[in-house]
């Protein structure tokens, strides 16, 4: 999962302090693993260097934690590209996908498209595996089946999420 | 499959309501010869209705269904029946076999309806049953065989007349995954061999993975996923 | 396996060829019919359904054959009746070698009529009645088998008919096996042409019966209606029977539609299926009929019995039935398919079709009424009615009732909701298949509607066929009339009756006639006065006239009621002499027996006697006029029975039988019905009993069929814990709702038809609501009885193992 893209996405709704960013991230995505401050600052530094964010202002009182960041146009384009890009289908994708969906919802992008794209990608791989399974020996078949079942679970999750997008949008934006 | 193949079956802007319930709300679908198209989507979204409209079993309220250049919606019942007999095959979740007839007779039925003599039709049917690995239950009635066997009989019946399109509505819905996949494999392989296109409605991604292409139906509208990305 | 086609090879022309439907030639027909027949016999399910259909059709066919045999049977009965009636001629003055003397000795025993004919051959080669091998000699008799049995079992009756049995009457001489009939030889018979007191008629033989009573257009109307009302439910039943298993069939045909059978093919398949059931039914029905015919001798419905050999349907009618029943069954099947166009999707989903339309359903009764309307007022007096028009009109009106029924059931049931589980299950089920429910009760509906109409007609025209006798059964219940040779015999007879067990009071008088005193000198005896004479004791005379004072020497003059001339006033005044030897026939014979009407004889008003007659003339107590002086007297005796004595009337009859030939015993009753009308009524009841039984049977069959079709659903409901009692109730409700609707409709339709019929005979509209209620109750009763009978199978079906069915 790309923390940089996530933070960028969070910034799309308006400039924030680093501390705010961490809180917003933890609240939405950090259920099992809160973000360390250091990670926020190093990421923001990288983004700043790449011109994807800019410093919007510094609160008086000094110290690095007082910087307020804002997203640049380049940053928005970058988030866009990231969201559009289907993830390589592999097991345990849901954290990334979830993050993407929430960000899309937060930033008013078509989350359904995102899901459909991902879904097509998943199915593409599943077809591939199915083809391989058809021609392979038993070991191949079993290995492919394992992958297929995992992919199926993800795909199911995608379907479920798609069906509940409205609900999720309400929860996220409230 | 050749991507550029001209469409075999093409539905445009199909609308269909049951009373005040809209089941289809401007659905499109194109099936090219020999390809397997999966139709997925939430329950109640209109998948089955779309399939029935495509096969000419249900008349859409508006929109066109073109099969090889002819408009299905403008055909008479006799013409559509003839199409079902000669060009289409059907596999449903269950219940499409005639319970009174043996499996063999069920499979022989389309040919017999098309005028083939009983012996010839049954010989052909027996061959198909064997091919679908259920030759041994030929003499049993559908009530006496397992769901998976029955489904294979249904597949045999759908394919026996060398149709150009096989419509399958959740053909594996009542089967476990192993049996479901076996049925799917037999169906797609046989369809591939005979050059038949398959329109496959399913909820199961692993079943859909046997397709070449996927269409998602939501709220009566279709969406071709190939065109999204 | 045909070669897989290459995706792009098919041009439009080949595709056209592929699409062309095979011409429905003979082979296609044969194939589809055979396929249908195959469905009819495949599996237990198929067999059961076909068997049920066959049994249903069979019962209909059997009843139709019976109905077809009825005209021939009636004709045979008529002919037999004519053949055995003695041909009595007034012209035959002298015995011939073949002539015989005959007198009837009819009696009744426990309400059953016994016909007796007394015979006495006059020559060496007497004629024989049909069915009698050898004429019984004096004191012997030949009897019908039924009478032989009855006599053997009833000593009381044997006492009355004491002749020695020497033979049996063959079927040729009997209307039916249950008939009680005997011919007895009796040497006491004397020819009526003998001087004074002959007690028998001279017959040249047997076989020239009198023509039946002429009954007119009202009778024709009744006859037509009875036939319509009895046969229509049968027709409807046959229609219902061939539609058994309709839901399953629809599903099966839908499955075939899915694999490309077009509508015409499905029709042919369905026809094949129905045809097999109908043909089996036809065969079975003929068998039922033949077997039933052999059982006929053991069955007596309301006094009517028949010989197997007499129950022979006309060839034309039999052929018609053999062709029409299968044809009708196929037609009904095709019609029902038209209603539920079998769509391929029937396999996948069951939906509610479009609502029914009312107009054509109302058209049927409207056309029926239009057919009847021109006949209003026509079926009166000696007019003539077109029986076919009546039949068609009535059939259409009754058919309209069954046509409207499904619409009403659907309309009403569609509005029902809520309620307890059983009610909800029932109403929802009815909503889904109101058709089947309506069909189930349509037979009952038509039967009840027809019965109501017929009952109205019968009630209204009763007066034309049933006449009041004016008898007063509170004063006496039996009337014995006997021919006597000597007036003094009356007193003896009365004494014997008084000594009889069961006779409480006996009034007897001697009846004869007299003429004016100078009659012997008249040139033309036609001018002789007619003066009735009655001799009886005071108690008896009081029954006949309003007498206050009476002694054993009293005499009275009772003027005739109405306009009987003034002979009595002219010649029977006190003090005048009258002649007790009136002339008979052409001239005066014998010597005058003069008697003077005593001076002071009062004139008193007459009184209706217990038998409903009004005697008049000269009434005398025994000591005023010696009854022995009367010429050609007869005795009239009224008997009041002891209410507590069982078989009282039989004892009276036994005693009366000893009075000799020419004695008749009548049980007094208030009304008298013309015999053919009575037969028609009896026939109606007999037929209605059969029809109701048939309807009950058909209901049971349909009900079981419906239960079987729902076996899986029932199993599911039981599996998730629905109480069995709730299911039973739901079945009951499912029947009750359509039955109530059907009966309401029947009352409406029946009353309308009844009103039309009344208009035809020109009677005012009148209904007997209690009777209507009773008829409806009978209909409802049949349905509920059937429902109860179907509960045990329901119980068995509700085992959860019903779940596994395809
Ligand atoms: N015969 C019918 N009468 C009334 N409504 C119907 C009928 N058939 C379908 N519908 C309605 O049309 C809509 C689409 O139904 P359809 O069967 O096409 O859905 P589906 O996508 O196949 O669902 P599932 O995946 O559950 O099979 C649903 O809302 C359904 O209620
Ligand atoms: Mg569906």
């Amino acid at each position: 999962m790309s923390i940089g893209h996530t933070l960028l996405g969070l910034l799309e709704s308006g400039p924030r302090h680093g501390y705010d960013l961490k809180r917003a991230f933890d609240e939405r995505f950090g259920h099992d693993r809160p973000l360390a401050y250091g990670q926020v600052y190093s990421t923001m530094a990288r983004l700043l260097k790449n011109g994807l964010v800019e410093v919007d202002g510094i609160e008086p009182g000094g110290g690095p934690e007082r910087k307020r960041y804002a997203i640049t146009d380049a940053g928005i384009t970058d988030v866009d590209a990231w969201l559009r890009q289907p993830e390589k289908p592999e097991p345990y994708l849901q954290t990334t996908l979830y993050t993407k969906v929430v960000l899309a919802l937060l930033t008013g992008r078509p989350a359904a498209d995102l899901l459909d794209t991902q879904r097509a990608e998943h199915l593409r791989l599943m077809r591939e595996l199915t083809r391989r399974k058809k021609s392979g020996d038993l070991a191949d078949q079993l290995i492919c089946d394992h992958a297929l079942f995992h992919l199926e679970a993800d795909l199911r999750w995608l379907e479920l999420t798609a069906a509940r997008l409205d609900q999720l949008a309400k929860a996220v934006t409230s | 499959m050749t991507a550029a193949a001209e469409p075999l079956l093409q539905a445009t802007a199909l609308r269909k309501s049951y009373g005040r319930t809209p089941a289809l709300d401007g659905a499109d679908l194109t099936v090219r010869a020999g390809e397997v198209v999966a139709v997925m989507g939430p329950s109640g979204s209109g998948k089955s209705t779309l399939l029935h409209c495509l096969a000419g079993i249900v008349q859409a309220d508006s929109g066109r269904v073109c099969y090889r250049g002819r408009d299905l919606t403008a055909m008479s019942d006799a013409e559509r029946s003839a199409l079902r007999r000669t060009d289409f095959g059907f596999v449903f979740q269950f219940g499409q076999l005639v319970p009174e007839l043996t499996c063999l007779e069920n499979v022989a039925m389309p040919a017999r309806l098309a005028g083939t003599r009983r012996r010839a039709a049954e010989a052909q049917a027996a061959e198909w049953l064997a091919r679908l690995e259920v030759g041994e239950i030929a003499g049993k009635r559908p009530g006496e065989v397992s769901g998976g066997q029955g489904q294979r009989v249904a597949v045999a019946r759908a394919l026996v007349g060398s149709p150009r399109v096989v419509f399958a509505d959740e053909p594996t819905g009542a089967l476990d995954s192993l049996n479901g996949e076996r049925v799917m494999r037999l169906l797609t392989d046989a369809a591939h061999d005979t050059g038949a296109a398959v329109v496959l409605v399913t909820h199961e991604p692993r079943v859909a993975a046997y397709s070449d292409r996927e269409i998602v139906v939501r709220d009566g509208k279709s969406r071709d996923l190939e065109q999204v990305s | 396996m045909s070669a897989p086609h290459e995706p792009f090879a098919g041009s439009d022309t080949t595709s056209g060829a592929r699409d062309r439907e095979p011409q429905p030639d003979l082979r296609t027909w044969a194939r589809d019919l055979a396929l249908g027949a195959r469905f009819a016999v495949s599996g237990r399910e198929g067999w059961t359904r076909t068997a049920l259909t066959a049994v249903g059709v069979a019962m209909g066919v059997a009843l139709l054959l019976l109905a077809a045999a009825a005209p021939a049977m009636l004709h045979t009965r008529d002919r037999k009746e004519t053949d055995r009636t003695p041909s009595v001629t007034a012209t035959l003055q002298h015995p011939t070698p073949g002539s015989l003397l005959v007198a009837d000795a009819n009696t009744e025993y426990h309400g059953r009529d016994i016909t007796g004919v007394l015979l006495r051959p006059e020559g060496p080669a007497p004629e024989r009645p049909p069915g009698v091998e050898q004429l019984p000699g004096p004191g012997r008799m030949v009897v019908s088998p039924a009478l032989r049995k009855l006599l053997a079992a009833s000593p009381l009756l044997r006492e009355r008919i004491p002749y020695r049995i020497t033979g049996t009457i063959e079927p040729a001489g009997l209307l039916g096996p249950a008939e009680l009939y005997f011919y007895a030889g009796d040497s006491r018979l004397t020819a009526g042409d003998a001087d004074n007191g002959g007690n028998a008629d001279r017959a040249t033989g047997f076989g020239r019966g009198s023509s039946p009573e002429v009954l007119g257009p009202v009778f024709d109307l009744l006859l037509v209606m009875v036939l319509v009302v009895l046969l229509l439910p049968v027709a409807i039943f046959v229609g219902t029977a061939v539609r058994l298993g309709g839901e399953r069939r629809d599903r099966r045909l839908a499955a075939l539609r899915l694999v490309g059978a077009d509508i015409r093919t499905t029709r042919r398949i369905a026809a094949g299926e129905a045809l097999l059931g109908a043909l089996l039914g036809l065969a079975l029905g003929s068998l039922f009929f033949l077997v039933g015919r052999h059982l006929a001798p053991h069955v007596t419905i309301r006094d009517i019995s028949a010989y197997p050999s007499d129950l022979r349907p006309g060839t034309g009618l039999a052929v018609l039935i053999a062709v029409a029943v299968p044809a009708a069954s196929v037609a009904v099947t095709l019609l029902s398919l038209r209603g539920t166009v079998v769509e391929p999707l029937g396999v996948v989903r069951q939906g509610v079709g479009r609502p029914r339309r009312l107009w054509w359903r109302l058209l049927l009764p409207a056309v029926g009424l239009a057919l009847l309307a021109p006949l209003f007022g026509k079926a009166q007096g000696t007019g003539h009615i077109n029986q076919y028009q009546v039949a068609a009109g009535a059939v259409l009106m009754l058919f309209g009732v069954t046509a409207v029924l499904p619409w009403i059931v659907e309309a009403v049931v569609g509005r029902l909701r809520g309620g307890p589980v059983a009610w909800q299950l029932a109403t929802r089920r009815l909503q889904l298949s109101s058709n089947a429910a309506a069909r189930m009760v349509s037979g009952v509906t038509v039967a009840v509607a027809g019965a109501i109409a017929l009952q109205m007609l019968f009630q209204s025209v009763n007066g034309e066929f049933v006449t009041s006798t004016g008898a007063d059964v509170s004063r006496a219940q039996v009337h014995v009339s006997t021919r006597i040779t000597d007036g003094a015999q009356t007193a003896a007879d009365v004494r014997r009756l008084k000594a009889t067990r069961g006779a409480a009071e006996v009034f007897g008088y001697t009846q004869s006639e007299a003429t004016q005193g100078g009659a012997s000198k008249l040139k033309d005896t036609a001018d002789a006065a007619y003066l009735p004479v009655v001799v009886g004791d005071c108690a008896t005379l009081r029954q006949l006239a309003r007498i206050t004072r009476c002694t054993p020497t009293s005499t009275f003059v009772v003027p005739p009621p109405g306009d009987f001339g003034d002979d009595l006033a002219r010649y029977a005044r006190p003090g005048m002499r009258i002649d007790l030897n009136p002339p008979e026939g052409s001239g005066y014979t014998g010597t005058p027996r003069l008697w003077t009407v005593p001076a002071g004889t009062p004139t008193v008003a007459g009184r209706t006697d217990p038998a409903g007659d009004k005697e008049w003339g000269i009434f005398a107590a025994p000591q005023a006029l010696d009854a022995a002086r009367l010429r050609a007297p007869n005795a009239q005796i009224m008997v009041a029975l002891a209410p507590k004595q069982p078989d009282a009337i039989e004892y009276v009859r036994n005693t009366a039988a000893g009075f000799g030939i020419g004695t008749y015993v009548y049980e007094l009753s208030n009304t008298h019905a013309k015999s053919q009308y009575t037969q028609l009524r009896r026939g109606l009841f007999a037929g209605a009993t059969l029809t109701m039984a048939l309807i009950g049977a058909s209901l049971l069959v349909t009900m079981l069929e419906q239960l079987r079709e729902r076996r899986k659903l029932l199993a599911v409901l039981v599996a998730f814990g629905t109480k069995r009692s709730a299911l039973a109730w739901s079945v009951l409700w499912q029947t009750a709702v359509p039955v109530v609707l059907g009966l309401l409709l029947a009352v409406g339709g029946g009353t309308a038809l009844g009103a039309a019929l009344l208009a035809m005979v020109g009677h005012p509209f009148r209904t007997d609501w209690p009777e209507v209620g009773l008829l409806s109750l009978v209909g409802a009763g049949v349905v509920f009885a059937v429902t109860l009978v179907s509960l045990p199978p329901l119980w068995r079906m509700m085992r959860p193992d019903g779940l596994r069915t395809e």
Side-chain angles (χ1 to χ4, degrees):
Chain A
M1 182 175 71
S2 163
I3 291 172
H5 284 116
T6 314
L7 294 179
L8 266 181
L10 286 174
L11 277 179
E12 270 204 59
S13 53
R16 285 174 199 259
H17 296 291
Y19 180 73
D20 275 352
L21 271 175
K22 174 195 149 51
R23 270 223 329 252
F25 183 97
D26 285 353
E27 210 172 87
R28 295 210 156 86
F29 311 113
H31 308 293
D32 45 350
R33 193 161 49 94
L35 213 52
Y37 280 116
Q39 218 176 343
V40 176
Y41 295 125
S42 60
T43 308
M44 288 322 288
R46 188 166 47 78
L47 293 176
L48 207 55
K49 198 172 76 199
N50 291 342
L52 301 177
V53 296
E54 56 194 13
V55 175
D56 185 49
I58 300 174
E59 296 284 300
E65 74 275 20
R66 285 303 183 194
K67 267 191 200 137
R68 212 165 64 160
Y69 301 96
I71 192 164
T72 62
D73 285 349
I76 292 177
T77 317
D78 195 49
V79 171
D80 226 42
W82 176 64
L83 285 180
R84 273 177 197 286
Q85 173 67 40
E87 295 294 314
K88 187 164 178 301
E90 53 191 19
Y92 311 116
L93 261 181
Q94 61 275 40
T95 26
T96 315
L97 284 175
Y98 175 73
T99 309
K100 277 183 152 184
V101 170
V102 170
L103 277 180
L105 288 173
L106 276 175
T107 58
R109 289 185 173 82
D113 281 358
L114 185 157
L115 288 169
D116 278 352
T117 317
Q118 189 61 47
R119 174 193 175 101
E121 191 62 25
H122 265 71
L123 206 59
R124 209 172 351 250
L125 183 59
M126 286 180 76
R127 281 196 197 105
E128 170 99 29
L129 288 168
T130 305
R131 254 194 298 279
R132 208 186 308 159
K133 183 169 80 171
K134 274 201 214 169
S135 51
D137 58 12
L138 184 60
D140 271 345
Q141 280 177 22
L142 287 176
I143 289 165
C144 288
D145 269 334
H146 184 263
L148 275 168
F149 276 111
H150 281 290
L151 286 170
E152 179 176 27
D154 278 357
L155 216 144
R156 284 243 157 94
W157 180 85
L158 286 171
E159 259 173 12
L160 199 76
T161 312
R164 292 192 179 166
L165 266 183
D166 291 347
Q167 230 176 314
L168 186 63
K170 246 185 253 151
V172 163
T173 51
S174 65
Chain B
M1 271 323 107
T2 341
E6 77 178 69
L8 178 68
L9 183 61
Q10 185 163 37
T12 32
L14 286 182
R15 271 170 222 284
K16 170 83 191 170
S17 303
Y18 292 104
R20 244 171 277 133
T21 329
L24 284 183
D25 186 16
D28 304 306
L29 180 79
T30 303
V31 181
R32 286 177 287 267
E35 71 174 345
V36 180
V37 182
V39 178
M40 299 188 76
S43 216
S45 56
K47 303 181 296 293
S48 299
T49 309
L50 175 62
L51 187 91
H52 297 150
C53 287
L54 283 175
I57 301 177
V58 157
Q59 286 282 44
D61 298 337
S62 71
R64 270 164 59 87
V65 180
C66 271
Y67 173 70
R68 309 178 83 219
R70 300 167 62 199
D71 190 358
L72 271 184
T73 50
M75 284 188 191
S76 72
D77 172 76
E79 286 174 305
R80 277 184 280 124
S81 298
L83 265 190
R84 281 201 297 278
R85 214 154 51 219
T86 55
D87 286 34
F88 295 166
F90 296 89
V91 186
F92 289 152
Q93 191 170 352
F94 50 73
Q96 72 265 35
L97 295 177
V98 184
E100 283 81 359
L101 299 177
T102 63
C103 291
L104 184 73
E105 287 166 329
N106 261 294
V107 177
M109 192 47 58
R112 290 204 59 200
L113 285 174
T116 314
R117 288 189 177 278
R118 192 170 64 89
R119 262 162 215 278
E122 286 185 355
Q124 201 180 16
E127 234 175 283
W128 269 100
L129 283 178
R131 182 159 167 188
L132 287 165
E133 304 163 7
V134 280
E136 71 284 356
I137 57 158
K140 292 194 179 180
R141 292 210 164 77
E144 304 163 343
V145 305
S146 81
Q149 290 170 324
Q151 226 33 11
R152 274 181 259 172
V153 173
V155 170
R157 195 185 64 177
L159 287 164
V160 69
S162 314
R164 289 174 202 271
V165 192
V166 173
F167 296 94
D169 194 347
E170 304 188 26
T172 61
L175 306 180
D176 67 39
S177 41
L178 194 60
N179 260 303
E181 294 215 27
R182 275 215 357 233
V183 166
M184 273 320 294
R185 197 164 160 177
L186 289 167
L187 172 64
T188 47
D189 285 354
H192 186 82
D193 291 349
T194 58
V198 179
V199 181
L200 169 69
V201 171
T202 182
H203 282 294
E204 291 169 83
R206 268 175 314 102
V207 170
Y210 282 85
S211 68
D212 302 317
R213 217 148 53 76
E214 187 197 10
I215 303 287
V216 173
V217 179
R218 287 201 190 96
D219 296 331
K221 296 188 181 63
S222 64
R223 181 168 189 155
D224 190 339
L225 288 193
E226 311 302 305
Q227 281 149 21
V228 174
S229 47
Chain C
M1 196 184 325
S2 68
H5 48 240
E6 314 84 306
F8 309 111
S11 70
D12 273 336
T13 52
T14 59
S15 140
R18 284 171 66 109
D19 294 349
R20 192 169 308 132
E21 193 190 350
Q23 216 49 38
D25 53 13
L26 219 62
R27 221 187 75 192
T28 319
W29 269 94
R31 178 200 70 199
D32 294 343
L33 290 181
L35 189 60
R38 168 96 176 65
F39 287 142
V41 297
S42 76
R44 228 172 56 132
E45 192 89 12
W47 262 118
T48 319
R49 193 186 55 248
T50 307
L52 289 182
T53 313
V55 168
V57 171
M59 288 195 282
V61 166
L63 205 59
L64 280 178
L65 284 175
L66 188 64
M73 183 188 85
L74 291 179
H75 184 255
T76 309
R77 288 172 73 94
D78 247 18
R79 191 177 44 71
K80 283 183 166 179
E81 178 75 66
T82 311
D83 284 353
R84 71 182 182 185
T85 310
S87 8
V88 175
T89 50
T91 51
L92 194 64
Q93 294 285 346
H94 300 287
T96 65
S99 71
L100 348 79
L101 297 178
V102 294
D104 60 21
N106 299 345
T107 181
E108 212 177 293
Y109 183 72
H110 286 172
R112 299 175 67 185
D113 288 323
I114 300 169
T115 312
V117 180
L118 304 182
L119 305 168
R120 183 179 166 201
E122 290 184 306
E127 295 281 331
R128 275 178 296 126
V132 175
E133 286 273 318
Q134 193 164 14
L135 281 184
R140 330 229 146 150
M141 66 174 168
V142 290
V143 295
S144 69
L147 181 59
R148 185 195 288 266
K149 235 163 75 192
L150 184 65
L151 282 174
S154 333
L156 197 56
L157 183 64
R158 193 71 178 103
E159 219 175 279
R160 192 182 317 164
I161 310 174
Y163 308 94
R164 229 183 78 210
I165 299 175
T166 56
T168 305
I169 307 174
E170 301 296 315
L174 295 172
L175 301 191
E179 208 180 16
L180 305 172
Y181 212 94
F182 71 90
Y183 294 99
D186 199 315
S187 51
R188 291 174 297 167
L189 296 187
T190 51
D193 64 337
D195 181 47
N196 200 4
N199 54 15
D201 294 320
R202 172 166 292 136
T204 53
F206 299 86
R208 252 136 295 169
S210 51
S211 62
E213 301 162 69
V214 177
L215 293 152
V218 174
F219 185 78
D220 290 347
L221 180 65
L222 281 174
L223 189 65
V224 168
M225 285 310 300
V226 167
L227 282 179
V228 165
V229 165
L230 290 185
L231 288 185
L232 202 56
V234 177
I236 287 182
F237 170 59
V238 172
T240 311
V242 298
R243 283 161 83 157
L244 287 176
E247 287 176 39
R248 223 186 139 83
R249 183 201 59 200
D250 282 0
R251 239 174 302 134
R252 179 170 54 241
L253 291 181
L256 287 176
R257 290 275 284 139
L258 191 66
V259 293
D262 58 22
I263 288 179
R264 281 192 295 173
T265 307
T266 34
R267 291 230 169 95
R268 285 194 294 267
I269 294 174
E273 201 177 330
L275 199 59
L276 186 80
L279 287 178
L280 278 178
L282 190 64
L284 200 60
S286 311
L287 194 71
F288 280 2
F289 176 73
L290 291 178
V291 170
R293 207 165 72 148
H294 276 280
L295 296 179
H298 307 290
V299 183
T300 307
I301 301 175
R302 311 238 173 201
D303 262 5
I304 297 180
S305 68
Y307 283 108
S309 54
D310 293 350
L311 282 172
R312 194 171 291 148
T315 320
L317 280 175
V319 168
L320 187 69
I321 290 170
V323 173
V325 168
S329 73
V330 170
V332 167
T333 308
L334 296 186
L335 265 176
S336 72
L337 275 187
R338 183 175 294 272
T340 60
V341 177
V342 178
E343 288 296 347
L345 264 191
V347 189
V348 192
R349 30 181 64 130
Q350 250 182 327
V352 182
R354 67 192 157 81
R356 293 166 208 292
R357 271 170 305 184
L358 184 59
W359 65 268
W360 71 264
R361 295 169 192 276
L362 285 179
L363 203 63
L364 285 179
V367 170
L369 195 60
L371 277 176
L372 295 183
L375 300 176
F376 284 0
K378 292 280 164 55
Q380 271 172 303
T382 55
H384 185 76
I385 53 161
N386 183 342
Q387 299 175 3
Y388 295 102
Q389 195 175 345
V390 173
V395 164
L396 280 176
M397 280 193 77
L398 288 178
F399 229 73
V401 169
T402 52
V404 173
L405 184 62
W407 182 86
I408 288 200
V409 171
E410 185 183 79
V412 171
V413 153
R415 286 190 180 75
L416 299 176
R417 40 196 47 116
V421 176
W423 174 256
Q424 200 172 22
L425 281 175
T427 52
R428 287 303 184 207
R429 172 73 194 170
L430 284 173
Q431 283 167 12
L432 207 57
S433 61
S434 63
N435 207 7
R439 220 160 45 217
M440 195 171 81
V441 296
S442 58
V444 175
T445 306
V446 163
V448 170
I452 287 174
L454 208 58
Q455 178 268 336
M456 283 170 70
L457 186 60
F458 263 108
Q459 191 121 71
S460 172
V461 301
N462 229 1
E464 293 190 17
F465 295 100
V466 181
T467 44
S468 175
T469 56
D472 183 354
V473 294
S474 65
R475 280 150 71 194
Q477 293 83 44
V478 185
H479 174 196
V480 180
S481 159
T482 177
R483 207 197 293 242
I484 47 178
T485 43
D486 178 355
Q489 238 172 291
T490 309
D493 288 349
V494 168
R495 267 196 305 281
R496 283 169 70 185
L497 277 174
K498 276 189 170 151
T500 300
R501 216 184 325 177
E505 267 185 291
V506 181
F507 311 106
Y509 57 93
T510 313
Q511 197 182 33
S512 183
E513 57 181 89
T515 188
Q516 75 261 42
S520 58
K521 293 179 189 83
L522 284 175
K523 281 209 184 73
D524 187 356
T525 50
D527 293 339
Y530 171 61
L531 307 171
V533 178
V534 166
V535 178
D537 60 19
C538 281
T540 306
L541 292 184
R542 283 203 174 93
Q543 294 290 333
L544 308 179
R546 309 211 165 276
I547 292 166
T548 44
R549 270 203 62 236
C550 179
T551 65
T553 54
S554 292
T555 51
F556 309 90
V557 172
V558 180
D563 185 24
F564 261 93
D566 51 2
D567 282 357
L568 195 65
R570 193 126 57 91
Y571 302 110
R573 279 199 299 259
M576 289 180 81
R577 290 209 295 184
I578 60 171
D579 186 352
L580 297 178
N581 181 26
E584 193 183 4
S586 48
Y588 192 93
T589 49
T591 51
R593 299 181 198 164
L594 296 177
W595 179 74
T596 310
V597 181
T601 297
T603 297
V604 296
R607 180 185 177 198
T608 310
D609 74 10
D613 297 323
K614 256 192 166 157
E615 299 297 340
W616 55 280
I618 299 150
F619 288 22
Q623 286 174 31
L625 172 57
D626 182 5
R629 295 185 63 199
L630 297 176
R631 187 173 167 278
N634 59 68
Q636 305 295 333
I637 307 170
M638 311 288 162
V639 183
L641 298 174
K644 298 240 170 60
Q645 174 64 45
D647 276 345
I649 190 164
E650 305 302 342
Y651 288 110
V652 169
R653 284 201 178 104
N654 277 10
T655 306
F659 294 170
I661 294 155
T663 302
Y664 300 96
V665 181
Y666 306 102
E667 191 168 3
L668 294 181
S669 96
N670 295 319
T671 54
H672 166 80
K674 282 198 191 175
S675 76
Q676 292 209 351
Y677 171 80
T678 313
Q679 281 215 2
L680 183 67
R681 251 199 119 112
R682 281 181 184 170
L684 173 66
F685 279 120
T689 312
L690 270 181
T691 308
M692 271 299 164
L694 182 72
I695 286 176
S698 88
L699 260 180
L700 189 61
V701 168
T702 349
M703 189 95 93
L704 291 181
E705 168 72 17
Q706 284 190 6
L707 285 181
R708 260 162 13 84
E709 285 200 342
R710 303 176 51 215
R711 168 182 273 161
K712 187 167 183 177
L713 172 79
L714 290 172
V716 169
L717 286 172
V718 170
F720 68 63
T722 316
K723 266 196 245 141
R724 283 167 178 233
S725 64
L727 285 182
W729 273 109
S730 91
V731 170
L732 201 68
W733 283 126
Q734 247 180 75
T735 332
V737 172
V739 164
V740 167
L741 291 174
L743 289 181
L744 285 178
L745 196 62
V747 170
T751 312
L753 180 57
L757 294 176
L758 289 188
M760 286 169 66
V761 296
H763 284 238
F765 176 81
R766 196 170 67 102
T767 45
D768 182 357
W769 291 114
E771 187 96 347
V772 168
L774 187 71
L775 289 171
S776 309
L777 268 183
V778 169
V782 168
V783 175
F784 288 115
V786 164
T787 309
L788 286 186
V789 173
S790 71
L791 282 183
L794 174 72
W795 243 245
R796 254 180 294 116
M797 262 174 228
M798 282 189 297
R799 286 186 308 230
D801 61 358
L803 268 176
R804 191 189 155 89
T805 47
E806 170 72 5

